Amino acid sequence: MTVKPTGPSIGADEWVAREAARHEHPPGLRGAVERRLARVGWWPRLAIAALLGAAIPQLGLNDFQLQIGINALILATLAVGLNVAVGWAGLLDLGYIAFYGFGAYGFALLSSNQLNAPHGIHFPAYATMPIVMVAAAVLGLLVGLPSRRLIGDYLAIVTLFFGEAFQVFTNNVATSKLGGPNGIFALDPIRGFGARITTNQGYFYLMLILLVATIAVLHLLDTSRTGRAWRAVREDPLAAATMTIPVNRVKLMAFSFGAMVAALTGTVFAAQQTSVFPTDFDTSFLILIYAALILGGVGSIAGAVLGGLVIEVALDGVLRSPTEAGYVFYGLILVTMLARLRPWRRLGAVLSATVGLGFAAHAIVKAISASAVAGGPQSSSWIHAALKYWVIVPATKAGSIPAGFGNVGFAILIAMLIALVQLKGRWRAVLLAPTVYLAACVWEARLIVEPSITRLILLGAILIVVMNARPQGLLGTRRVEII
Amino acid sequence: MRLFVQELINGLTQGSVYALLALGYSMVYGILKLLNFAHGDLYMVGAFIGYFVIQWFGGAAHLDAPVALVVIVMFVLAAGAVGALGVIIERFAYRPLRDAPRIAPLITALGVSFFLENTALLFFGGSYRIYNTSRFISFSTGIHIGVLNVDIVRIMVIVLSVGLMIGLRLIVNRTKLGRQMRAVAADREAAEMLGIDVDFTIAATFFLGSALAGVSGVMAGLVYNSVWNYMGFTAGLYAFTAAVVGGIGSIGGAVLGGLLIGLAQSFIVGYVSSLYTDLIVFGILIAVMLARPTGLLGRAQLQKV
């Protein structure tokens, strides 16, 4: 076995090697647009983005679409808050979700009949939000205390347990007050100064204002002494300490700011949903926030917002409906092939081979056994018509589609994808057609039948692929190292 | 007294399972400095493999082969398949990121964990599958003297774990592969310059660690009977706690931590309440971490400037 060199070769510095690429602007129209855009200041950009966001509800969206918009803004705000600890200070905070839950539960207790029976506590929002945020900041300080001694993965595991402890706490402790697994319901909406927000459109604007305000405050922080201190601590705590930066205090501040943003978001979430349950704050949602932050690019506010919007809209807006999920699935395959397959001859060959293979396989299998293709594609609309004589989807006598076929196909598909990554050159092109065809069959036979599981599998796969293709995320340019 | 002995045995059994799982965590962390979140899910895959071996031999109620053979096949198949799965995961998810910032492989590990959990959900559904161990291994076989009641399954789990731990220790300390593993863990670049095949060594480490996870999954299935797709998350969390409490990267530490967490959990369930187990175990973790940030048997590393 030969030893392959890994990493940058000895004597060549990566930063120096990329020197030219950093100063280069692409020529032509694209370069001109980039130069012009680069001249727009940070605040005008934020204003433009906020105005664009404010225009969205005026497009005549229905309540469900507005709900997705609110959720997307919530996820984006959470990602922006997480960015403080993870992206700027380099602290791996896996208990972040608990602060979000803390904010939601705090709002729930102060705006319902739960405490102080029988009338309950019904504070207006302008009182609840600051109380909850200050409490969350204090809690953030307490949870951050271990970060004085623990770094990196050790801190990650302690904070992860804090998140788990929150789950255990809300599920089991003081169930008469916290509701246990049944949660707390019948919460007040956001109200204060004689106004009440009850419509989805109202919550959309509230969340948008909060997101823009959060971004503005965090940007000021980022460019302040504190922000520079965070980055110094992230890059090298020892050097930062010798530069008289109070490392521990700076780390705790990062925890606290993140916690405040999360708690604030939690209050709006609780008010809009008018109820809170422990399951709203479980680890899978934490992974979603991380996915949003990482996808967009750690360390970049714009990246965090973009990641949050993309993930939420993709997961709840698009992938939930089988038809639209089908468009995304086939669209992605097509776009990837169009973008990556060169020369054109090869692209044409692979595409026509895929199409031909499908019709041939369908015809042969149908001649052998009619029931083996009796299922038909499970997509609706024109995709169904287009794929009717192409994909193989078996059906039982009762007309249902056996899950085993799709499961085995899925396992084979993964094996083929692995082989595809391993192979080079011509053999990869040869294997590509059957892989795409199998992917279509598995999609039509199984994945589209279980959209709720499929989107989670896809999320996991996207995380792996994006991290491998672009470890810094879509918009992330800064190098973030967890200390 | 009876309760105490019973909880002691339960704790040792649970602790052995955690210890095996913690060993895998610790080995992977030691060599890659990667917190492999997917490790708990490999344990889940191992448990499912054991379940399907039982079904393959005709189901728990009427096995058509000697019980000993079935059990051996369960363990060997789970170890081999899960070990191979670990190698594949390393090759495709972690190897391309070996020189990336640390957060990238960590998030990839979360992605792998998510992927495995939900693929299992797609394949096997969300309901519990039952091993029904008592149908083919009677509880009455084993040691029953006075207050001491240990069934054969628990004895087997404890003995097998001890054997595997000794075997692993021998591999790491006495063989050429073990020497390579230690060298790569200490300094990957230097090891490479000395002609060690780093890729192979890391793959071998993943195989050993994942195989242990597969074995512990089968053990969990045999002792606790039920398997389902999310079982890996909590077990992985406890096992990682064990590895951290013991001092991550240290084999003795992983075993010590595993037994400690297992015993603590078992005695808390027996004497306090099952509701607060998690909170108390987290409390122990945080206390240990604050008192000894490198774990009980871990050594503080010199900081290089």
Side-chain angles (χ1 to χ4, degrees), chain A residues 112-139:
Chain A
S112 69
N113 291 332
Q114 210 67 21
L115 295 180
N116 191 25
H119 301 296
I121 303 176
H122 295 275
F123 284 171
Y126 56 78
T128 319
M129 284 183 173
I131 293 175
V132 168
M133 280 170 73
V134 170
V138 173
L139 189 65

Side-chain angles (χ1 to χ4, degrees), chain A residues 20 30 59-60 64 73 76 83 87 118 153 206 278 294 301 319 355 363 378 399 443 450-451:
Chain A
R30 193 175 150 210
L59 297 175
F64 175 67
L73 288 173
N83 184 40
D153 305 318
L206 176 68
I294 304 295
I301 290 183
L319 293 182
V355 173
Q378 295 302 298
W443 178 267
E450 303 272 9

Side-chain angles (χ1 to χ4, degrees), chain A residues 382-405:
Chain A
W382 57 270
I383 293 185
H384 178 90
L387 300 183
K388 203 164 176 212
Y389 298 102
W390 190 66
V391 291
I392 299 172
V393 177
T396 56
K397 281 211 178 82
S400 65
I401 293 169
F405 171 78

